[in-house]
Amino acid sequence: MSQFHPLRIASCRNETRDAVVVTFDVPDTLRDAFRFVQGQHLTLRVVVNGEELRRSYSICSAPFENTLRIAIKRVADGLFSSWAHENLKPGQVIDCMEPAGRFHVPLEPAAARHHLAFAAGSGITPVLSIIKTTLAAEPRSHMTLVYGNRASTSVLFREELADIKDRYTARFNLIHILSREHQDIELFTGRIDGDKCDQLFKHWIDPSTIDVAYICGPRSMMEAVSGSLRSRRIDKSRIKMELFSDALPRGPRSPRSGAECRAQECKVTVVQDGRRREFSFARNQQTVLDSALEQGFELPYSCKGGVCSTCRCKLTRGQVEMGAQYALEDYEIARGFILPCQSYALTNELVLDYDQDS
Ligand SMILES: Cc1cc2nc3c(=O)[nH]c(=O)nc-3n(C[C@H](O)[C@H](O)[C@H](O)COP(=O)(O)OP(=O)(O)OC[C@H]3O[C@@H](n4cnc5c(N)ncnc54)[C@H](O)[C@@H]3O)c2cc1C
Ligand code: FES
């Protein structure tokens, strides 16, 4: 899982002025490694001006399409996305980690469920995969998408969504919310915030019918939507969220409260691919991930900001204190999963198991 594989780019297509859709060639030898489920992402690695950059991008194709495709939206002053827009071209080879992430629910072909998705901007990428997969795999289920953008020209996958609507007229409800373009229905103009959600749930979407909700976009929008859903008694366990952070903390992280007064050494055992290896570090200095990387351990990571879950592993001995944590669900924390990129040791011994996934 933590391994990078070189993948050749089959095509690059500009989807909007600031978003490029990249399709990879997956050789037969890597077919199994790059099998994915709807809603998962890839981590890409490039070296730009001598600096290694790792970023995660959600897969926008559906597993049944037999295509591995992502969309990269250009972020102002963003290192990776700017580089990608200027440099990626067909034939180029890029290091990619195997698909990862838990932004999905198991499909139930016999179910008649109502899946509701809220997406904003590039947050549509995993949601597009979820929509295509779910409508195809659950013939009795319905899907509602509330998709926020500035204007119709910035709507990613506008045509593909319209095609899906044509194909599944009775089962796919598509609502575009535009913040800088007036629409005939007043409710569909503006931003997706708490008030907009309340109005949608009052006039357009019956919350009592919702079985599963997916939210992907900026943090403020995700918090507003989940708050509105929770206030309508939609349990947290039925709300799946994926944060695309575009403003992660930079530079060295500092020790957290519980860990900072302790200066002892911590012995860490890493269980990975059936092997056990050990290292020690001063536990108030760095996160567990940074310490391991400094000592030459090749561990999986991407954002280092507690967002992408690429570094996730199970803590089978010891205790840590986590800083920012947006990627783990409550049940994962209860089972002992941690994000080493945000973890400071609270005990003198830790065992990190990368081989346990559940
Ligand atoms: C699971 C997951 C899936 C994702 N899927 C997608 C996807 O499908 N499509 C997509 O487009 N994106 C996706 N993202 C976001 C993507 O990973 C990148 O975060 C995004 O492309 C920006 O990367 P960048 O290198 O261009 O920007 P960065 O260089 O990381 O900069 C991001 C922002 O921070 C600002 N910044 C730069 N330096 C500093 C500083 N010193 N202090 C404060 N701010 C600073 C920049 O101005 C910029 O606005 C996903 C993220 C996650 C975690
Ligand atoms: S590296 Fe992204 S959550 Fe740890």
Coordinates of all heavy atoms in Angstrom, one line a residue, residues 33-67:
A33 N -3.1 -4.2 -8.1 CA -2.7 -3.1 -7.1 C -3.5 -1.9 -7.3 O -3.8 -1.2 -6.3 CB -1.2 -2.8 -7.3
F34 N -4.0 -1.6 -8.5 CA -4.7 -0.3 -8.7 C -6.2 -0.5 -8.8 O -7.0 0.3 -9.3 CB -4.2 0.5 -9.9 CG -2.9 1.2 -9.5 CD1 -1.7 0.7 -9.6 CD2 -3.0 2.5 -8.9 CE1 -0.6 1.3 -9.2 CE2 -1.9 3.2 -8.5 CZ -0.7 2.6 -8.7
R35 N -6.7 -1.7 -8.3 CA -8.2 -1.8 -8.2 C -8.7 -0.9 -7.1 O -8.0 -0.7 -6.1 CB -8.5 -3.3 -7.8 CG -8.9 -4.1 -9.0 CD -9.3 -5.5 -8.6 NE -8.6 -6.5 -9.4 CZ -8.7 -6.6 -10.7 NH1 -9.5 -5.9 -11.4 NH2 -8.0 -7.5 -11.3
F36 N -9.8 -0.3 -7.3 CA -10.3 0.7 -6.3 C -11.8 0.6 -6.1 O -12.5 -0.1 -6.9 CB -9.9 2.1 -6.8 CG -10.6 2.6 -8.1 CD1 -11.8 3.2 -8.1 CD2 -10.0 2.3 -9.3 CE1 -12.4 3.6 -9.3 CE2 -10.6 2.6 -10.5 CZ -11.8 3.3 -10.5
V37 N -12.2 1.2 -5.1 CA -13.7 1.3 -4.9 C -14.0 2.8 -5.0 O -13.2 3.7 -4.8 CB -14.2 0.8 -3.5 CG1 -13.9 -0.7 -3.4 CG2 -13.5 1.5 -2.3
Q38 N -15.3 3.1 -5.3 CA -15.8 4.4 -5.5 C -15.4 5.3 -4.3 O -15.5 4.9 -3.1 CB -17.3 4.4 -5.7 CG -18.2 4.1 -4.5 CD -18.3 2.6 -4.2 OE1 -17.6 1.8 -4.8 NE2 -19.1 2.2 -3.3
G39 N -15.0 6.5 -4.6 CA -14.6 7.5 -3.5 C -13.2 7.4 -3.0 O -12.8 8.2 -2.2
Q40 N -12.4 6.5 -3.6 CA -11.0 6.4 -3.1 C -10.1 7.4 -3.8 O -10.5 8.0 -4.8 CB -10.4 5.0 -3.3 CG -11.0 4.0 -2.3 CD -10.2 2.7 -2.2 OE1 -10.0 2.1 -3.3 NE2 -9.7 2.3 -1.1
H41 N -8.9 7.6 -3.3 CA -7.9 8.6 -4.0 C -6.6 7.9 -4.2 O -6.2 6.9 -3.7 CB -7.8 9.8 -3.1 CG -7.3 9.5 -1.7 ND1 -8.1 9.3 -0.6 CD2 -6.0 9.4 -1.3 CE1 -7.3 9.1 0.4 NE2 -6.0 9.2 0.1
L42 N -5.8 8.6 -5.0 CA -4.4 8.2 -5.3 C -3.5 9.3 -4.6 O -3.9 10.5 -4.6 CB -4.1 8.3 -6.8 CG -4.9 7.3 -7.7 CD1 -4.5 7.6 -9.2 CD2 -4.7 5.9 -7.3
T43 N -2.3 8.9 -4.2 CA -1.3 9.9 -3.8 C -0.2 9.9 -4.9 O 0.3 8.9 -5.2 CB -0.7 9.5 -2.4 OG1 -1.8 9.6 -1.5 CG2 0.4 10.4 -2.0
L44 N 0.0 11.1 -5.4 CA 1.1 11.3 -6.4 C 2.3 11.9 -5.8 O 2.2 12.6 -4.8 CB 0.6 12.2 -7.5 CG -0.8 11.9 -8.2 CD1 -0.9 12.8 -9.4 CD2 -1.0 10.5 -8.6
R45 N 3.5 11.5 -6.4 CA 4.7 12.1 -5.8 C 5.6 12.6 -7.0 O 5.8 12.0 -8.0 CB 5.5 11.0 -5.1 CG 6.9 11.4 -4.7 CD 7.5 10.2 -3.9 NE 7.9 9.1 -4.8 CZ 8.5 8.0 -4.4 NH1 8.8 7.8 -3.1 NH2 8.8 7.0 -5.2
V46 N 6.0 13.9 -6.8 CA 6.9 14.4 -7.8 C 8.0 15.2 -7.1 O 7.8 15.6 -5.9 CB 6.2 15.4 -8.8 CG1 5.2 14.7 -9.7 CG2 5.6 16.6 -8.2
V47 N 9.1 15.5 -7.8 CA 10.1 16.3 -7.2 C 10.1 17.6 -8.0 O 10.3 17.6 -9.2 CB 11.5 15.6 -7.2 CG1 12.6 16.6 -6.7 CG2 11.5 14.4 -6.4
V48 N 9.9 18.7 -7.4 CA 9.9 20.0 -8.0 C 10.9 20.9 -7.4 O 10.9 21.2 -6.2 CB 8.5 20.7 -7.9 CG1 8.5 22.1 -8.6 CG2 7.4 19.8 -8.6
N49 N 11.8 21.4 -8.2 CA 13.0 22.2 -7.7 C 13.7 21.6 -6.5 O 13.9 22.3 -5.5 CB 12.5 23.6 -7.3 CG 11.9 24.4 -8.5 OD1 12.3 24.2 -9.6 ND2 10.9 25.2 -8.3
G50 N 13.9 20.3 -6.6 CA 14.6 19.6 -5.6 C 13.7 19.2 -4.4 O 14.2 18.5 -3.5
E51 N 12.5 19.6 -4.3 CA 11.6 19.3 -3.2 C 10.6 18.2 -3.6 O 10.0 18.3 -4.6 CB 10.9 20.6 -2.8 CG 10.1 20.4 -1.5 CD 9.1 21.5 -1.2 OE1 9.2 22.6 -1.8 OE2 8.2 21.4 -0.3
E52 N 10.5 17.2 -2.7 CA 9.6 16.1 -3.0 C 8.2 16.6 -2.5 O 8.0 17.1 -1.4 CB 9.9 14.9 -2.2 CG 9.0 13.8 -2.5 CD 9.2 12.5 -1.7 OE1 10.2 11.8 -1.9 OE2 8.3 12.3 -0.8
L53 N 7.2 16.5 -3.4 CA 5.8 16.9 -3.1 C 5.0 15.7 -3.2 O 5.1 14.9 -4.2 CB 5.3 18.0 -4.1 CG 6.1 19.3 -4.3 CD1 5.4 20.1 -5.3 CD2 6.1 20.0 -3.0
R54 N 4.1 15.5 -2.2 CA 3.1 14.4 -2.3 C 1.7 15.0 -2.1 O 1.5 15.8 -1.2 CB 3.3 13.4 -1.2 CG 4.6 12.7 -1.2 CD 4.7 11.7 -0.1 NE 6.0 11.0 -0.1 CZ 6.2 9.8 0.4 NH1 5.2 9.2 1.1 NH2 7.3 9.2 0.3
R55 N 0.8 14.7 -3.0 CA -0.5 15.2 -2.9 C -1.5 14.1 -3.3 O -1.2 13.2 -4.1 CB -0.8 16.4 -3.8 CG 0.1 17.6 -3.6 CD -0.3 18.4 -2.3 NE 0.4 19.6 -2.2 CZ 1.6 19.7 -1.6 NH1 2.2 18.7 -1.1 NH2 2.2 20.9 -1.6
S56 N -2.7 14.2 -2.7 CA -3.7 13.2 -2.9 C -4.8 13.7 -3.9 O -5.1 14.9 -3.8 CB -4.5 12.8 -1.6 OG -3.5 12.4 -0.7
Y57 N -5.2 12.9 -4.8 CA -6.3 13.2 -5.8 C -7.3 12.1 -5.9 O -6.9 11.0 -6.1 CB -5.7 13.6 -7.2 CG -4.9 14.9 -7.0 CD1 -3.5 14.8 -6.8 CD2 -5.5 16.1 -7.0 CE1 -2.8 16.0 -6.6 CE2 -4.8 17.3 -6.8 CZ -3.4 17.2 -6.6 OH -2.7 18.4 -6.4
S58 N -8.6 12.5 -5.8 CA -9.6 11.4 -5.8 C -9.8 10.9 -7.2 O -9.7 11.6 -8.2 CB -10.9 12.0 -5.3 OG -10.7 12.5 -4.0
I59 N -10.2 9.6 -7.2 CA -10.4 9.0 -8.5 C -11.9 9.4 -8.9 O -12.8 9.2 -8.2 CB -10.3 7.5 -8.4 CG1 -8.9 7.1 -7.9 CG2 -10.6 6.8 -9.7 CD1 -8.7 5.7 -7.4
C60 N -12.0 9.9 -10.2 CA -13.4 10.4 -10.6 C -14.1 9.3 -11.4 O -15.2 9.4 -11.7 CB -13.3 11.7 -11.2 SG -12.2 11.8 -12.6
S61 N -13.3 8.3 -11.9 CA -14.0 7.3 -12.7 C -14.6 6.3 -11.7 O -14.3 6.2 -10.5 CB -12.9 6.6 -13.6 OG -11.7 6.3 -12.9
A62 N -15.5 5.4 -12.3 CA -16.1 4.4 -11.5 C -15.4 3.1 -11.7 O -14.8 2.9 -12.8 CB -17.6 4.2 -11.9
P63 N -15.3 2.2 -10.7 CA -14.6 1.0 -10.9 C -15.0 0.2 -12.2 O -14.1 -0.4 -12.9 CB -14.9 0.2 -9.7 CG -15.2 1.2 -8.6 CD -15.9 2.3 -9.4
F64 N -16.3 0.2 -12.5 CA -16.7 -0.6 -13.7 C -16.3 0.0 -15.0 O -16.4 -0.6 -16.0 CB -18.2 -0.8 -13.7 CG -19.0 0.5 -13.9 CD1 -19.2 0.9 -15.2 CD2 -19.6 1.2 -12.9 CE1 -20.0 2.1 -15.4 CE2 -20.3 2.3 -13.1 CZ -20.5 2.8 -14.4
E65 N -15.8 1.2 -15.0 CA -15.4 1.9 -16.2 C -14.0 1.4 -16.7 O -13.5 1.7 -17.8 CB -15.4 3.4 -16.1 CG -16.8 4.0 -15.9 CD -16.8 5.5 -15.7 OE1 -16.0 5.9 -14.8 OE2 -17.6 6.2 -16.4
N66 N -13.3 0.7 -15.8 CA -11.9 0.2 -16.1 C -11.0 1.2 -16.5 O -10.2 1.0 -17.5 CB -12.0 -1.0 -17.1 CG -12.6 -2.2 -16.6 OD1 -12.4 -2.5 -15.4 ND2 -13.5 -2.8 -17.4
T67 N -11.1 2.4 -15.9 CA -10.2 3.5 -16.2 C -9.8 4.1 -14.9 O -10.6 4.2 -14.0 CB -11.0 4.6 -17.0 OG1 -11.4 4.0 -18.2 CG2 -10.2 5.8 -17.3

